[in-house]
Amino acid sequence: MNSELKKSAQNGLYEFAPDGNGCRIYHAETPRYWYNYLWNEDRYCAQISQVGHGRSYYLSEKADMCMINRDDARYVYLRDDADGTCWNIGKGPLNTEVEDYCCTHSIGHTQICSRKNGIEGSWRIFVPKKGFHEVWTLKLRNTAEQEKRLSMFSAVSFYLEGFSYPRYYEMYRCMKTEFKRELNGIYCDSAHPFAPHELYHGFLASSEPVYAWDGDLTKFCGSTSTLTLPDASTCALFQRPDIVVNGKDCTNSEASLFILGGVLQHKITLMPGEEKEIQVVFGISSSCEEACSAVKRYADAESTEREFAESEAYNYEKISSLSVKTPDQKINHMMNNWVKKQADFCIVGKKGVRDNLQISVALLNYRQEKAKEEILECLRHQFQDGHGVLTWYPYDDMRYSDQPFWIIWAVCELIKETGDLSILDTEIEWQDGGKASVLEHVKAAVNRLILDKGEHGLVKIYFADWNDALNITDDPEAESVMLSHQFCLALRELKRMMEYAGDTQYAGFLEKEYEQLKEDINRYAWDGKWYARALSSKGNVGTQDSAGSKIYLNAQTWAVLAGVADRERLAYVLEAVDSMEQDFGFPLNLPPYPEYDAHVGRMSGMLPGLFENGGVYCHATGFKILMDCCTGRGEKALKTLKKIMPDSEENPSAKSGAEPYVFTNCYSTNPGYYGKSYQSWTTGTSAWCMMGLYEGILGVKRDYEGLRISPCFPEEWEEAEVTRYFRGADYHIIIRNPEHIKNGKAEVYADGSICDSGLIPDYQDAKQHRIDVLIKRG
């Protein structure tokens, strides 16, 4: 265990399991909720906190949402019926003290354990490989010397919202709860006339006979409990439910319209040493019969364990083709499974062209078919004129300027990964009707960016580019320097792809466009020591004489990634980027805007140091990692990666609030919120940090001709290993740097034979090949 992991284990907050696949949390009072997400390919998802609560939802293939529970209500209560003591296995929401609390968030499940009043309790939640539900396995064991008589209450709310409908057709007006004997649980029926699919019926059922129940949450929580909203759609809060804390039994209530939920009460008698196991199933269905069929799959412990084992195997299998072993154990724990799970979840949690294409390119490293499917899905949300929607759930076609770039880049990366040029002939629908080949989609994106050029030959920013919060709405002719850099990269990559495809004429056209755009950027956007962020007749953004903020990170990193900065400018750019370094990453811009400036829009309306206004935006810091690797700065790339990893030396999770197992979107530099994180899980940080390690630092890169090994290996590392599946073959790559050479040259051997330019033969033979990489002095 390295120093960072020892430090975390010693402070008692958490530690990783030895294999890194589970994170054990030892205190329920984490700085904020630490979540796990569990989902399946049927698009059912459960969010689970360290106390067990969280939202459960389903997103259809057409991105129609069904949010199943309101206020994240998912709870289990225990009560000793002899003395009235009541508690939760996960401590909340009653907040009664428990002993030996431990929550293990794992790749495929979450399990919460504790002990109270001589009862050992365990609550495991998993989402099966198939279906629209989650399964709770509840185990209670009597460790006392006398008989124990218990009541166990499983409680949820029902919401079933998430789609658009006419005014006054609120879902709660169409819902009712009933106890169904054949289900052995509460069924929440809905008859909404505008529901976009049939899966708007909720249920909570059990494998064991139910003693009593409630479908009306006012009966369970008490009619004077605090309500979250002043209308009939509200759910009572669950902090002190009247039935539980006052020693009562559920009332067998059913409900329509008002405050609907599901509560199942079990009466359990345990002799000393005796254990009881109960399965509870929570989810949605198209009918009560379908719900009954689902629940029957978990009729006993043996059948439940089969489903659990299948789910576990699948969750590990889908991310198993890529792995790493470095001298840094925390990097290993994060990057072997958790970052892949996080990136994979972003496909479930995000539905936007820009977002999903970035995530999909990262997925190409380990889930090639899923990545291909997602890239082609994004093309369906491109218009015939070349631009794309921002998101298709919720639908937003505001004119952001950068969607065409991500389309070009992602298709190039897909062809590199597969080597299959026939993909370019696949016909894909347009958002506004009709269809065209993938190549025509790509060419439409190129044409869009060319047509969008402004006065200085750079691409216009419109409402915004990658930075949603940079809104130069007072100048419709403003030009984005970052996007122009990105277009340069796209032109360069697409040129190589067209040469690979044999279309030298179009490749020549792209080469001319690249050279002209590069020249225009360097003529008009260079500010003497760094690149401006945007050009505008109302005042350039991100220059030494700009009002407010003077320098933007992304305008520098992408200048390097795209090859725009020549040797002389490169030195200035790197110096400028290095000057932006903070304790836990690199801010998006400096200094932060002190007050709102209508010229740059939303970002300046935030407090200085928050989010896009001078906060450490980790997604953008991920770009910087790859920039470092492009310039041979392996030590800086590694240092930057470790800075923005959660629970870092400078910013531990106990301070930042970030879960220690997934990347976060940003850290605040505002004094009142210094170092704290806002959100995790659904952030492109995961994708770019994954690419930064595997493709940048370790240098395992897809290319049109095959897999190429070109590491930017940090001198402090002596050895690292990577496994990678590529085009039908498995590669075990061992990188050695015995002399701790800084910025050395890689000598690559495949099965003992030297590989020129680090290009490995494209075996495609379903076998494993050993790749040895030796770092030598250049």
Side-chain angles (χ1 to χ4, degrees):
M1 186 181 290
N2 69 8
S3 60
E4 286 190 20
L5 292 178
K6 283 180 181 177
K7 178 181 175 183
S8 298
Q10 286 166 1
N11 70 28
L13 185 59
Y14 85 94
E15 65 178 335
F16 282 105
D19 61 4
N21 296 333
C23 182
R24 298 167 181 160
I25 302 165
Y26 293 120
H27 289 279
E29 303 87 350
T30 51
R32 68 175 192 207
Y33 290 125
W34 285 3
Y35 288 113
N36 195 8
Y37 283 87
L38 307 172
W39 70 94
N40 61 22
E41 297 304 315
D42 286 336
R43 297 174 298 280
Y44 181 93
C45 182
Q47 173 204 55
I48 305 159
S49 75
Q50 80 283 358
V51 301
H53 89 308
R55 61 198 58 184
S56 295
Y57 59 91
Y58 164 71
L59 194 64
S60 77
E61 189 173 18
K62 294 183 178 180
D64 295 307
M65 170 71 79
C66 177
M67 185 64 69
I68 306 169
N69 55 340
R70 178 187 279 281
D71 296 330
D72 300 347
R74 179 203 294 114
Y75 299 111
V76 175
Y77 302 85
L78 298 176
R79 185 178 67 211
D80 189 325
D81 286 337
D83 63 11
T85 302
C86 50
W87 68 98
N88 304 104
I89 296 174
K91 189 173 180 180
L94 288 173
N95 291 325
T96 304
E97 289 297 327
V98 295
E99 300 173 19
D100 298 332
Y101 164 89
C102 180
C103 170
T104 301
H105 284 324
S106 190
I107 298 300
H109 70 277
T110 286
Q111 183 162 332
I112 304 172
C113 303
S114 67
R115 186 164 54 87
K116 180 78 174 178
N117 267 34
I119 298 296
E120 285 184 354
S122 169
W123 179 16
R124 185 188 70 187
I125 305 174
F126 75 95
V127 171
K129 184 178 177 182
K130 298 292 294 181
F132 309 102
H133 54 270
E134 62 201 64
V135 182
W136 312 351
T137 298
L138 293 150
K139 293 182 181 181
L140 303 176
R141 189 168 76 90
N142 183 1
T143 62
E145 295 180 356
Q146 66 275 1
E147 176 187 274
K148 287 286 186 179
R149 292 179 292 109
L150 307 171
S151 281
M152 183 180 78
F153 304 87
S154 306
V156 299
S157 59
F158 286 118
Y159 187 45
L160 305 180
E161 285 276 11
F163 60 96
S164 298
Y165 46 73
R167 191 179 181 191
Y168 298 126
Y169 280 87
E170 287 83 1
M171 174 59 89
Y172 72 85
R173 302 173 190 263
C174 311
M175 295 164 61
K176 64 179 180 178
T177 57
E178 298 178 74
F179 185 82
K180 298 284 190 179
R181 294 289 176 184
E182 66 272 27
L183 181 66
N184 193 38
I186 298 284
Y187 185 72
C188 184
D189 199 8
S190 68
H192 201 289
F194 295 98
H197 55 74
E198 295 181 341
L199 292 169
Y200 284 95
H201 309 270
F203 66 90
L204 182 74
S206 172
S207 64
E208 296 291 318
V210 175
Y211 177 79
W213 64 88
D214 273 310
D216 182 345
L217 289 178
T218 60
K219 301 296 185 183
F220 179 67
C221 294
S223 59
T224 58
S225 295
T226 303
L227 301 180
T228 59
L229 290 174
D231 64 24
S233 68
T234 59
C235 293
L237 295 181
F238 287 79
Q239 277 77 7
R240 304 290 295 174
D242 184 62
I243 292 289
V244 177
V245 301
N246 291 323
K248 301 176 185 179
D249 293 329
C250 286
T251 66
N252 294 350
S253 67
E254 296 176 341
S256 57
L257 185 62
F258 290 102
I259 312 178
L260 285 75
V263 183
L264 304 180
Q265 180 182 3
H266 291 85
K267 291 279 191 178
I268 302 167
T269 300
L270 295 175
M271 301 303 292
E274 186 179 0
E275 182 176 86
K276 180 70 173 178
E277 178 175 329
I278 297 176
Q279 317 299 333
V280 175
V281 186
F282 174 47
I284 52 174
S285 65
S286 60
S287 66
C288 186
E289 292 74 21
E290 184 181 282
C292 290
S293 177
V295 172
K296 285 178 182 177
R297 289 163 55 185
Y298 314 98
D300 53 53
E302 184 177 349
S303 57
T304 301
E305 289 307 306
R306 282 197 299 268
E307 293 277 352
F308 174 71
E310 183 180 21
S311 172
E312 285 282 281
Y314 176 71
N315 278 295
Y316 283 102
E317 178 188 1
K318 68 181 181 178
I319 57 176
S320 63
S321 65
L322 182 71
S323 66
V324 67
K325 182 180 179 183
T326 75
D328 190 304
Q329 193 70 347
K330 185 172 182 184
I331 287 179
N332 298 340
H333 288 339
M334 283 284 294
M335 293 295 188
N336 271 320
N337 283 327
W338 283 102
V339 75
K340 290 180 285 180
K341 174 174 177 170
Q342 184 178 3
D344 200 21
F345 173 70
C346 286
I347 293 295
V348 179
K350 288 175 174 282
K351 294 298 173 186
V353 170
R354 170 206 300 153
D355 295 324
N356 287 40
L357 287 175
Q358 291 176 80
I359 299 298
S360 296
V361 170
L363 258 62
L364 284 171
N365 286 290
Y366 64 101
R367 290 197 74 192
Q368 290 80 15
E369 285 304 313
K370 182 65 176 177
K372 176 183 174 181
E373 173 189 316
E374 200 64 28
I375 290 169
L376 298 183
E377 176 62 27
C378 287
L379 294 188
R380 292 186 177 91
H381 301 283
Q382 180 188 16
F383 294 91
Q384 293 185 49
D385 71 0
H387 85 282
V389 301
L390 178 67
T391 59
W392 62 89
Y393 181 81
Y395 185 80
D396 184 351
D397 62 0
M398 175 67 78
R399 188 69 158 79
Y400 287 75
S401 57
D402 62 321
Q403 318 300 333
F405 158 70
W406 299 109
I407 289 169
I408 303 164
W409 173 70
V411 170
C412 288
E413 293 299 314
L414 175 60
I415 301 303
K416 285 181 184 178
E417 183 68 31
T418 63
D420 182 8
L421 288 168
S422 69
I423 293 172
L424 298 175
D425 298 322
T426 304
E427 291 213 325
I428 301 294
E429 298 85 355
W430 299 101
Q431 176 73 35
D432 49 348
K435 58 175 62 175
S437 70
V438 169
L439 182 57
E440 288 174 291
H441 277 263
V442 170
K443 288 184 175 182
V446 172
N447 291 340
R448 178 73 272 154
L449 292 171
I450 291 174
L451 290 171
D452 285 345
K453 286 185 177 182
E455 176 187 355
H456 303 95
L458 278 64
V459 185
K460 295 178 187 177
I461 198 168
Y462 290 105
F463 181 73
D465 53 22
W466 175 90
N467 183 353
D468 293 336
L470 177 56
N471 314 127
I472 310 178
T473 54
D474 61 353
D475 181 8
E477 300 300 312
E479 297 159 89
S480 167
V481 178
M482 176 185 177
L483 177 55
S484 299
H485 289 321
Q486 290 179 315
F487 189 25
C488 275
L489 184 145
L491 290 166
R492 190 175 63 181
E493 288 299 325
L494 186 57
K495 167 185 172 289
R496 291 190 60 228
M497 188 182 82
M498 299 315 297
E499 288 173 341
Y500 179 66
D503 189 342
T504 56
Q505 183 176 355
Y506 191 61
F509 164 75
L510 296 169
E511 172 69 19
K512 290 179 182 177
E513 287 291 330
Y514 170 79
E515 293 297 339
Q516 183 62 58
L517 182 55
K518 177 180 176 180
E519 180 182 331
D520 289 339
I521 294 171
N522 282 323
R523 177 183 299 158
Y524 297 111
W526 179 248
D527 192 45
K529 292 188 176 180
W530 57 75
Y531 287 94
R533 179 62 174 83
L535 305 182
S536 169
S537 61
K538 301 295 180 71
N540 292 338
V541 176
T543 64
Q544 296 175 70
D545 59 358
S546 293
S549 200
K550 307 294 184 184
I551 181 172
Y552 280 70
L553 178 66
N554 289 340
Q556 319 317 317
T557 56
W558 282 92
V560 178
L561 292 172
V564 172
D566 56 27
R567 183 182 296 273
E568 181 181 348
R569 291 184 176 90
L570 178 61
Y572 284 108
V573 166
L574 295 180
E575 182 181 351
V577 168
D578 290 344
S579 73
M580 300 180 75
E581 186 171 5
Q582 304 286 303
D583 288 342
F584 32 85
F586 289 76
L588 203 58
N589 58 295
L590 283 178
Y593 291 95
E595 57 189 19
Y596 179 70
D597 181 348
H599 182 52
V600 296
R602 180 164 62 92
M603 63 183 295
S604 63
M606 306 172 192
L607 287 176
L610 291 186
F611 306 104
E612 288 94 341
N613 189 19
V616 171
Y617 214 82
C618 298
H619 189 154
T621 304
F623 302 154
K624 190 263 181 188
I625 295 169
L626 281 168
M627 180 210 75
D628 285 329
C629 294
C630 282
T631 55
R633 307 197 317 169
E635 289 70 32
K636 288 187 179 292
L638 179 61
K639 180 183 177 184
T640 301
L641 173 62
K642 293 174 73 171
K643 270 180 174 284
I644 61 173
M645 284 177 66
D647 203 38
S648 67
E649 285 272 357
E650 296 289 340
N651 200 22
S653 288
K655 174 185 172 184
S656 72
E659 293 99 328
Y661 41 87
V662 289
F663 284 95
T664 188
N665 69 332
C666 59
Y667 296 112
S668 168
T669 60
N670 183 279
Y673 203 66
Y674 191 75
K676 293 191 181 298
S677 159
Y678 171 61
Q679 72 173 55
S680 54
W681 282 100
T682 50
T683 169
T685 307
S686 57
W688 287 94
C689 285
M690 181 197 304
M691 292 187 285
L693 177 68
Y694 283 102
E695 301 179 29
I697 294 171
L698 300 173
V700 183
K701 304 173 184 177
R702 67 185 74 85
D703 209 340
Y704 297 109
E705 295 81 10
L707 199 62
R708 194 179 298 275
I709 311 297
S710 180
C712 184
F713 212 65
E715 62 179 324
E716 67 186 77
W717 285 1
E718 188 168 311
E719 184 175 314
E721 297 182 35
V722 184
T723 62
R724 169 75 147 88
Y725 175 84
F726 182 75
R727 298 187 190 175
D730 292 301
Y731 297 89
H732 181 202
I733 303 159
I734 303 169
I735 306 171
R736 292 189 176 90
N737 186 20
E739 298 181 48
H740 295 273
I741 297 169
K742 180 178 181 179
N743 197 19
K745 179 181 179 182
E747 193 170 83
V748 181
Y749 296 83
D751 295 333
S753 300
I754 195 164
C755 302
D756 293 334
S757 303
L759 183 66
I760 299 170
D762 193 3
Y763 292 105
Q764 302 191 41
D765 58 4
K767 296 179 181 178
Q768 185 178 90
H769 299 272
R770 175 172 172 136
I771 311 300
D772 289 287
V773 183
L774 180 63
I775 305 298
K776 304 181 72 174
R777 299 192 185 279

